[in-house]
Amino acid sequence: MNQKEAIAAGKTFLGIEFGSTRIKAVLIGEDHTPLASGSHEWENQLENGIWTYSLEAIWNGLQDCYRDMAADVEKKYGETLTSVGSIGFSAMMHGYMAFDKEDKLLVPFRTWRNTITEEAADKLTAELNFNIPQRWSVSHLYQAILNKEEHVKDVTFFTTLAGYIHWKLTGEKVIGIGDASGMFPIDSSTRDYDAAMMEKFDALTAPCGYPWKLREILPKVLLAGDNAGSLTEEGAKLLDTSGSLKAGVPICPPEGDAGTGMVATNSVAVRTGNVSAGTSIFAMIVLENALKNVHQEIDMVTTPVGDAVAMVHCNNCTSDLNAWVGIFREFAESFGIEVDMNKLFSVLYNKALQGDADCGGLLAYNYFSGESITGFEEGRPLFARSAESRFNLANFMRVHLFTALGALKNGLDILLKEESVKVDKIYGHGGLFKTPVVGQRFMAAAMNTPVSLMETAGEGGAWGIAVLAAYMQNKAEGESLADYLNNKVFGGEAGVTEEPVAEEVKGFDDFLKLYNAGLPIERAAVECIKL
């Protein structure tokens, strides 16, 4: 069956993901390759001190994104999209969307970006003996309780953005387990919310006299591969305003962007992980065993099938590095040289490979904003050296690449050294890895683990949720998600792998000692350079 016939026969799968600045739709064929795509740019708004997206922005964005994808189908294949094999929705994790018995939104959507729940997060972390970050849904709920917000007594359901979209299009109050793991802790042995922690939460809130218990207002947890309902008549009209899309399309469990990133990089199996490195950076490792201790630097989430995942998230990665590359472009253009930015990045990144293993005693901090791993609420980009440091271009580029991974390595060292977590392979994706070899080599040195790049990593989360929609429909009896990805999606493709080099591993460890010893310099910069 060719692509045009597959589209006409509804033998395709659609994934739509809500990112923080873009909503993206990807239509894939039965071989999981993209056939068409669409997108919609959007921005969150700061209203009354709360970062939010309005319901109007959510639905206008979804409809425009779908319309753009359907137009791409029409343009490429001359077909009007009337049905697909299945659909999946994913979105930024966490946040708070609370509804009453009339299904009315009680307060504006509070996104993951808000840092207004510190008291709740700290109390829940202590009470549950489990790291509960500020952005988690339960932190928002408990903070509203601590604030004695009037709306809390009226809550009958609260969910994430992906859970909300799914509910409105299917009528089902369900959520994928990966997205659920950013609402409330998951017990990977039961593949559901942690029952003991839920009892503790209910005991904590019992004196308030609310008419609900936590489980009653949370969405039901589903695993990848489960059927999560189908597109209703009303849902079809909401999604496709042209009226061409028919109701009845099966829909897979809604997932968070962390889970779709794992799928897109083939890192859902135990002892694998992925690093996403762009403006911010995070690493996720699928665990064999539970961690021995609670670490506020480590977030615990799950794969789309419920295996425990340790996540290290840092706010800063490539912004300062990109700013320095911009200075070199300006320098070249001052001489009348026209600069190809891809070539400039390639030349400068590769120059870093010629530097000393420990960056020659140079020191830099890439903190455009605060960095919780190292205890900073604000940041100031900073470069420092002694008169004896080996100051040359290779070391200068190397230190800025190393420092892009510095805070992350502090978090990863907790996992790899303190907790003795075992990792067989890490998959990289994002702008840091765009120049071949360099970002991979330095990431391999930071983790002392092989780092691979997959061609499909660039397809992103919308492709990942489309693959999860296909898995629900196409999996064989008893076929795990990891096996499905290995055998049917990636076809045994291993990607391009860089192994850790012993000298570079030691060099990164030496650099990190200087990095941590120099943090008071960064602290002084924050205190002295007032914005």
Side-chain angles (χ1 to χ4, degrees), residues 348-513:
L348 291 173
Y349 274 40
N350 278 286
K351 191 73 179 174
L353 293 175
Q354 301 169 22
D356 295 307
D358 64 352
C359 305
L362 304 187
L363 181 61
Y365 296 98
N366 62 335
Y367 294 6
F368 265 49
S369 62
E371 197 58 79
S372 59
I373 296 272
T374 47
F376 285 82
E377 291 187 6
E378 292 180 53
R380 303 289 184 273
L382 183 69
F383 171 70
R385 64 188 176 100
S386 74
E388 288 74 38
S389 299
R390 292 178 293 284
F391 184 41
N392 54 42
L393 182 59
N395 281 336
F396 184 81
M397 289 309 302
R398 192 179 185 96
V399 78
H400 282 95
L401 281 156
F402 271 30
T403 203
L405 308 174
L408 183 78
K409 180 164 169 59
N410 272 317
L412 287 171
D413 278 357
I414 293 170
L415 292 175
L416 303 178
K417 295 179 178 178
E418 288 182 36
E419 290 280 355
S420 303
V421 168
K422 299 289 183 276
V423 191
D424 295 329
K425 187 176 279 191
I426 287 287
Y427 295 91
H429 55 115
L432 186 75
F433 301 108
K434 204 170 179 184
T435 298
V437 179
V438 184
Q440 278 176 271
R441 274 267 292 276
F442 293 162
M443 193 73 237
M447 294 188 68
N448 196 16
T449 302
V451 175
S452 300
L453 292 189
M454 311 288 283
E455 283 182 26
T456 49
E459 300 295 352
W463 181 76
I465 190 66
V467 168
L468 286 172
Y471 171 66
M472 178 183 75
Q473 292 298 90
N474 292 343
K475 68 182 188 302
E477 186 74 32
E479 185 175 26
S480 72
L481 178 60
D483 286 345
Y484 183 87
L485 293 176
N486 277 327
N487 301 329
K488 294 180 178 172
V489 179
F490 294 93
E493 180 202 347
V496 179
T497 301
E498 288 293 327
E499 299 284 340
V501 177
E503 182 190 2
E504 293 180 348
V505 172
K506 182 182 182 303
F508 209 119
D509 282 339
D510 290 342
F511 161 76
L512 197 71
K513 288 173 189 168

Side-chain angles (χ1 to χ4, degrees), residues 1-3 5-7 9-14 27-35 84-86 463 466-467 470-471 473-474 484 487-489:
M1 186 179 290
N2 67 29
Q3 294 170 334
E5 291 168 340
I7 290 165
K11 301 286 189 184
T12 56
F13 308 95
L14 176 62
L27 187 72
I28 65 173
E30 291 196 295
D31 62 353
H32 309 98
T33 57
L35 303 177
V84 295
S86 57
W463 181 76
V467 168
Y471 171 66
Q473 292 298 90
N474 292 343
Y484 183 87
N487 301 329
K488 294 180 178 172
V489 179

Side-chain angles (χ1 to χ4, degrees), residues 13 22 34 53 156 164 234 237 255 277 331 333 459 463:
F13 308 95
R22 184 171 68 147
Y53 298 89
T156 60
Y164 167 69
E234 182 187 15
K237 291 186 179 73
E255 261 303 343
F331 170 78
E333 288 174 348
E459 300 295 352
W463 181 76

